[in-house]
Amino acid sequence: METQAPIAIDIKGLKKSFDNGKSFVLKGMDLEIPKGMITVIIGFSGTGKSVLLKHILGLHQPTDGSIHVLGRELKNMNREEIIALRKKMGVLFQHAALFDDMTVLENACFPLKEHRPDLSKKQREDMAFHKLKISGLDPEHYSKMPSELSGGMKKRVGLARALALDPDILLYDEPTTGLDPILTEMVDDLINRTHRSHEGSTSVVVSHDLHAAFRIGDNIVMLDKGKVLFQGTPDDFLNAELDLVKRFVDKGMGRKK
Ligand SMILES: Nc1ncnc2c1ncn2[C@@H]1O[C@H](COP(=O)(O)OP(=O)(O)OP(=O)(O)O)[C@@H](O)[C@H]1O
Ligand SMILES: [Mg+2]
């Protein structure tokens, strides 16, 4: 008998309008993201993937509907509680979004500085050093500024920063967009290894890239026009009879590789 996986993020009837209800970007989204798995969220440009991710982080307020993260409804949380919850979530934003005026090490230290004032500077730096190391960046780069790094190196710093607080939930927005195929595979591999190394952790990867979805996803969600069109295993996805899924598969699989 199949046992139901516990849910890390539970979204019900989520609606979002940025123009006082004239139009909706999210149009009543229902989505359960299982704990301990890698869920890849795909969909054409402009369907609301990033907006959804920002809701999960508490950076956008829903116009309607509910979001529970690790059993708590975001709406009912005060500022301190949201900050405490964010400690359990690591984010790798698109383009890594590093602080340009900080070194690599300072960037990787940033969440520790914010959330772990109880630690000494040395302790924080040691922890950030370790995260940079496991993200695959060599110490010779740690005192460099982001402008001196390649795209792939920036992603690694972004990943180290996302991992700083050993989060239970890792969110990635287009982690490989703009990278070449070799780097793409490296970053996918890193996401995979990171996920497996933290038992029970939940990873959510927003991507355009169907190859990535198949390479790393346990669970695939396809959004279309602000709603969930499909959710299932990679195999379910390939076999889905839905027209839009077929179009996405044709496009995604025909592109490269
Ligand atoms: N802060 C905002 N204010 C107004 N509209 C917004 C805001 N953020 C996003 N939108 C709109 O919401 C829609 C969905 O945007 P979103 O960034 O979530 O798309 P996406 O699925 O992530 O696309 P892509 O694959 O190109 O990154 C777009 O039409 C966008 O213009
Ligand atoms: Mg986006």
Side-chain angles (χ1 to χ4, degrees):
M1 203 177 74
E2 209 175 312
T3 50
Q4 200 73 39
I7 303 302
I9 301 166
D10 192 359
I11 292 165
K12 289 213 165 40
L14 178 60
K15 291 186 184 170
K16 180 64 177 178
S17 171
F18 289 103
D19 54 9
N20 293 316
K22 275 195 222 113
S23 65
F24 283 83
V25 171
L26 304 182
K27 299 172 184 170
M29 188 173 281
D30 296 306
L31 176 61
E32 292 181 349
I33 294 181
K35 191 171 176 292
M37 290 190 189
I38 300 182
T39 293
V40 181
I41 299 178
I42 55 173
F44 291 107
S45 191
T47 50
K49 304 183 294 296
S50 296
V51 169
L52 171 64
L53 219 57
K54 287 181 184 156
H55 276 86
I56 295 170
L57 284 162
L59 297 173
H60 282 326
Q61 300 300 318
T63 305
D64 199 8
S66 68
I67 303 166
H68 286 77
V69 178
L70 301 174
R72 297 280 318 271
E73 177 156 13
L74 295 187
K75 211 163 29 198
N76 298 336
M77 293 168 93
N78 62 31
R79 221 181 96 80
E80 282 73 39
E81 288 170 321
I82 293 263
I83 290 171
L85 181 67
R86 285 219 190 111
K87 275 170 78 171
K88 297 183 182 169
M89 295 198 269
V91 203
L92 178 60
F93 286 107
Q94 199 169 350
H95 309 303
L98 301 178
F99 301 108
D100 291 332
D101 56 349
M102 293 185 195
T103 65
V104 164
L105 188 63
E106 284 165 351
N107 264 284
C109 261
F110 187 78
L112 292 161
K113 208 171 160 195
E114 292 282 285
H115 293 289
R116 296 298 306 272
D118 53 310
L119 300 177
S120 71
K121 188 163 183 264
K122 172 82 173 62
Q123 283 172 314
R124 293 196 295 255
E125 283 182 355
D126 286 347
M127 287 165 80
F129 193 97
H130 174 67
K131 294 299 194 276
L132 285 164
K133 203 87 205 288
I134 58 173
S135 299
L137 200 69
D138 292 329
E140 66 195 81
H141 304 299
Y142 297 178
S143 56
K144 289 186 177 167
M145 302 306 281
S147 59
E148 300 172 76
L149 305 178
S150 72
M153 287 155 88
K154 284 184 194 163
K155 296 272 180 195
R156 287 164 188 274
V157 182
L159 182 63
R161 192 178 64 186
L163 293 176
L165 299 162
D166 289 317
D168 296 323
I169 297 180
L170 266 163
L171 306 171
Y172 303 87
D173 197 354
E174 309 272 2
T176 59
T177 301
L179 300 184
D180 68 42
I182 306 240
L183 265 180
T184 296
E185 226 174 295
M186 249 152 68
V187 171
D188 285 345
D189 195 48
L190 216 54
I191 292 172
N192 221 337
R193 269 190 286 133
T194 304
H195 180 81
R196 312 286 161 211
S197 69
H198 182 145
E199 198 172 336
S201 69
T202 303
S203 301
V204 181
V205 185
V206 165
S207 181
H208 274 107
D209 183 0
L210 205 50
H211 293 288
F214 285 112
R215 202 151 46 217
I216 64 177
D218 303 307
N219 180 35
I220 298 187
V221 175
M222 183 168 182
L223 301 190
D224 184 49
K225 300 192 183 78
K227 284 196 158 187
V228 174
L229 181 77
F230 170 90
Q231 176 166 16
T233 65
D235 274 349
D236 293 341
F237 188 79
L238 268 185
N239 296 325
E241 285 303 316
L242 291 163
D243 215 40
L244 208 72
V245 170
K246 277 189 178 155
R247 265 205 288 152
F248 201 83
V249 170
D250 288 345
K251 277 203 165 149
M253 302 316 258
R255 213 184 305 150
K256 58 176 194 241
K257 257 258 156 120

